[in-house]
Amino acid sequence: MIQPQERLNPLTDEQIAEYERDGYLILRNVCSDDLVDMYNAHIYHIRAQDDMPEWALPRKGPIRAQDRFTVRVFNPHLHDGFSLQMLRHPVIRGALAQLLGDEAVGVQSMYFYKEPGSPGQAAHQDYFYIRNEPNTLTAAWMAMEDVDVENGCLWAIPGSHHVGLLPHGKVKNVEEHEPWTDESEGVDLSKEIPLEMKKGDVVIFHNLLVHSSRKNRSVDRWRRSYVGHYIRHDSVIEREDLKKKIPLS
């Protein structure tokens, strides 16, 4: 019989204090280059198929060539074993348990492409989109290649998770950001700093952290990422489409 994997405790007391202060924590070298390359190739193969599975379709209707490798893959963990195991990465599982005080469960995953020239997402707080009670929503954003200011890395305001939920309104700069999202209001966005990361790094961040991304201004560099959203096992999501809890063990 296969025994459940023992839960890791990868974070030091200093790292936990850093997360509580800043609302995010970057973990270096969580995934090897080989693992990241294999997963990128795996997702590419799924989207490249002539008979692409329905769950991986970019959108309803005929498949346009430009959509195959630009439109995000939503919730692949519900249908694909490799994506499920990436969501269950033991370092992420252990870090979340340390930060939340108990075992976490997965509720959402997204694989983002962000090709050269594509816009980012305006400053926002994840809790605005995913309400849960008690509020334990936490994201783990995995860099699937080197990410920096040029190719559209994340930006965040350290400590902004302490201010509570902010009002959100229409996106102001549609040249820089996707227009269909919402933007945090009443916060000084000049305090945002870039979160530059290497392939295989993971940033874990609080649901009330104000964060954004900017346009990919590179000529030939993508900014792929795999993002998981988690809650503590005893929390409840309001949205009907995210109520399924995925154990991490």
Side-chain angles (χ1 to χ4, degrees), residues 22 90 191:
D22 295 337
K191 294 181 178 180

Side-chain angles (χ1 to χ4, degrees), residues 2-243:
I2 298 175
Q3 298 298 318
Q5 187 178 42
E6 183 178 353
R7 194 171 71 202
L8 303 178
N9 292 298
L11 304 184
T12 64
D13 291 342
E14 290 76 15
Q15 287 176 306
I16 294 172
E18 180 181 344
Y19 176 85
E20 292 174 349
R21 181 193 69 216
D22 295 337
Y24 69 90
L25 180 67
I26 297 177
L27 305 178
R28 304 294 183 182
N29 302 311
V30 171
C31 292
S32 68
D33 285 357
D34 287 345
L35 177 58
V36 172
D37 290 343
M38 284 192 296
Y39 186 59
N40 282 335
H42 177 71
I43 294 296
Y44 177 89
H45 173 72
I46 291 172
R47 274 286 175 88
Q49 296 178 75
D50 290 335
D51 56 344
M52 189 189 310
E54 184 175 357
W55 64 265
L57 292 173
R59 53 171 50 93
K60 295 180 179 179
I63 301 174
R64 302 185 305 174
Q66 64 265 35
D67 291 341
R68 284 184 181 269
F69 310 112
T70 59
V71 177
R72 67 180 178 175
V73 183
F74 188 66
N75 278 340
H77 73 282
L78 295 177
H79 313 277
D80 173 60
F82 199 163
S83 299
L84 175 60
Q85 293 311 310
M86 294 293 278
L87 186 77
R88 287 172 161 170
H89 195 290
V91 172
I92 295 174
R93 176 197 173 198
L96 290 171
Q98 288 181 272
L99 296 173
L100 298 178
D102 204 345
E103 193 77 48
V105 292
V107 293
Q108 179 175 259
S109 67
M110 294 173 286
Y111 182 94
F112 288 97
Y113 289 98
K114 197 165 187 181
E115 73 279 11
S118 60
Q121 185 171 357
H124 65 283
Q125 297 167 300
D126 286 349
Y127 183 74
F128 177 77
Y129 296 102
I130 307 177
R131 308 295 175 95
N132 65 111
E133 182 64 37
N135 182 16
T136 60
L137 181 73
T138 311
W141 194 102
M142 183 181 297
M144 305 308 287
E145 52 213 322
D146 292 354
V147 297
D148 50 40
V149 171
E150 182 189 51
N151 70 343
C153 68
L154 292 180
W155 291 65
I157 301 178
S160 55
H161 63 303
H162 293 302
V163 303
L165 181 63
L166 297 166
H168 285 60
K170 291 184 177 180
V171 173
K172 300 176 182 64
N173 185 350
V174 295
E175 171 64 24
E176 189 74 30
H177 301 123
E178 295 172 329
W180 58 269
T181 61
D182 297 275
E183 183 170 359
S184 295
E185 299 178 337
V187 64
D188 184 359
L189 295 180
S190 69
K191 294 181 178 180
E192 279 192 313
I193 63 171
L195 307 184
E196 296 189 321
M197 299 161 62
K198 294 294 185 181
K199 181 167 70 173
D201 291 350
V202 172
V203 59
I204 296 177
F205 57 91
H206 193 279
N207 65 88
L208 290 174
L209 180 77
V210 177
H211 63 286
S212 68
S213 61
R214 300 183 183 178
K215 189 173 183 177
N216 183 344
R217 288 182 164 78
S218 68
V219 175
D220 57 359
R221 299 173 58 212
W222 292 59
R223 193 229 63 182
R224 291 167 294 182
S225 59
Y226 184 58
V227 185
H229 283 101
Y230 307 82
I231 56 175
R232 201 173 61 208
H233 69 88
D234 58 341
S235 291
V236 177
I237 296 280
E238 289 186 8
R239 282 173 48 178
E240 290 296 327
D241 62 323
L242 297 180
K243 285 189 177 295

